[in-house]
Amino acid sequence: MGSRLLTKIVAVLITIVLLLLLSTQITPEDIIITLKNINPVYLVSGFILYTGTYVFRAWRFHILLNKEVSIKDLFQITCVHNMMNNLLPARTGELSYIYLLKTRQKKTTGEGLATLIIARIFDFMVISFFFLVLFLSIDNLVPGAAILVVTGVLFLLFGVFLLFGVLFYGNVLLKIFEKFAHYINFKKFHAGDYLLKKSEDTFQCFEKFKNGSMNLHLSV
């Protein structure tokens, strides 16, 4: 049995199990009544907009990967990646992106981790920006709201510094990490040696982004 066939079978089984669990929380009659009360225009519009967000997420990874992976392939990976994020606790579903990129597109763990980190930093910055705009646009802020605004500013600045830190000072951070790992003799463990190698791959990808397509898109 091929690995792809096995993956599809496992995916179908997981879907069936999830549907069975969902059916214990809600009756089919409730689903039918809810669907009947939904305006078809809103339903179609929501589906188009929701699908569009996945297309743009795939396009973002397409750019971060130097356009070496097609948007079509990344769209499939993004759909599975976001589904796993919704199902698994503590954002452990993020690992599915790295795994799928490595198994289906033959990309290294470092490339997957680097593109994911950069994407999440940008997400962090955008959310912080909207957070600030929201609070600054509200009239008659409740007491203590200024603290939230300051917190939003700090998070936004932290995101900016984090982005430029990993892109332009990645080698310095890697050397510090390697020295610390050598000091505690971390490399003698199999997991430690693996982590060091993957860290090197990741920071090498950061360097490639800085000198290549990532630098171009940041300048634009």
Side-chain angles (χ1 to χ4, degrees), residues 16-72:
I16 294 174
V17 171
L18 291 175
L19 289 174
L20 291 174
L21 290 175
L22 181 62
S23 65
T24 62
Q25 303 298 319
I26 186 171
T27 63
E29 291 79 9
D30 292 335
I31 298 175
I32 295 173
I33 293 173
T34 303
L35 291 176
K36 285 182 177 180
N37 292 330
I38 295 177
N39 190 322
V41 175
Y42 296 151
L43 186 62
V44 174
S45 300
F47 176 77
I48 293 174
L49 291 174
Y50 194 72
T51 304
T53 61
Y54 282 79
V55 173
F56 280 109
R57 289 174 183 176
W59 182 40
R60 174 178 62 179
F61 285 121
H62 174 67
I63 292 174
L64 291 175
L65 290 166
N66 200 23
K67 301 181 179 180
E68 295 174 356
V69 183
S70 69
I71 296 178
K72 177 183 176 182

Side-chain angles (χ1 to χ4, degrees), residues 50-51 53-58 60-61 74-88 91-98 100 116 120 123:
Y50 194 72
T51 304
T53 61
Y54 282 79
V55 173
F56 280 109
R57 289 174 183 176
R60 174 178 62 179
F61 285 121
L74 285 170
F75 177 78
Q76 299 173 2
I77 292 175
T78 300
C79 289
V80 176
H81 170 220
N82 282 276
M83 181 191 73
M84 298 305 294
N85 257 338
N86 291 326
L87 293 177
L88 299 179
R91 304 291 295 185
T92 51
E94 297 282 19
L95 297 175
S96 63
Y97 167 77
I98 301 172
L100 291 171
L116 185 61
R120 289 296 170 256
D123 288 343

Side-chain angles (χ1 to χ4, degrees), residues 106-119:
K106 308 304 179 183
K107 293 295 180 181
T108 65
T109 302
E111 288 177 298
L113 185 58
T115 52
L116 185 61
I117 290 174
I118 292 175

Side-chain angles (χ1 to χ4, degrees), residues 178-189 192-193 196:
E178 288 178 338
K179 287 183 179 179
F180 176 74
H182 178 73
Y183 177 77
I184 63 174
N185 201 14
F186 191 47
K187 199 172 182 178
K188 70 177 182 179
F189 302 103
D193 183 56
L196 282 171

Side-chain angles (χ1 to χ4, degrees), residues 96-150:
S96 63
Y97 167 77
I98 301 172
Y99 172 78
L100 291 171
L101 200 64
K102 182 176 181 179
T103 56
R104 297 179 66 91
Q105 300 299 325
K106 308 304 179 183
K107 293 295 180 181
T108 65
T109 302
E111 288 177 298
L113 185 58
T115 52
L116 185 61
I117 290 174
I118 292 175
R120 289 296 170 256
I121 292 175
F122 275 120
D123 288 343
F124 182 77
M125 292 167 60
V126 171
I127 292 173
S128 299
F129 174 76
F130 283 127
F131 175 82
L132 287 175
V133 172
L134 175 65
F135 274 95
L136 293 176
S137 61
I138 296 177
D139 297 327
N140 301 322
L141 292 175
V142 297
I147 298 177
L148 295 176
V149 174
V150 173

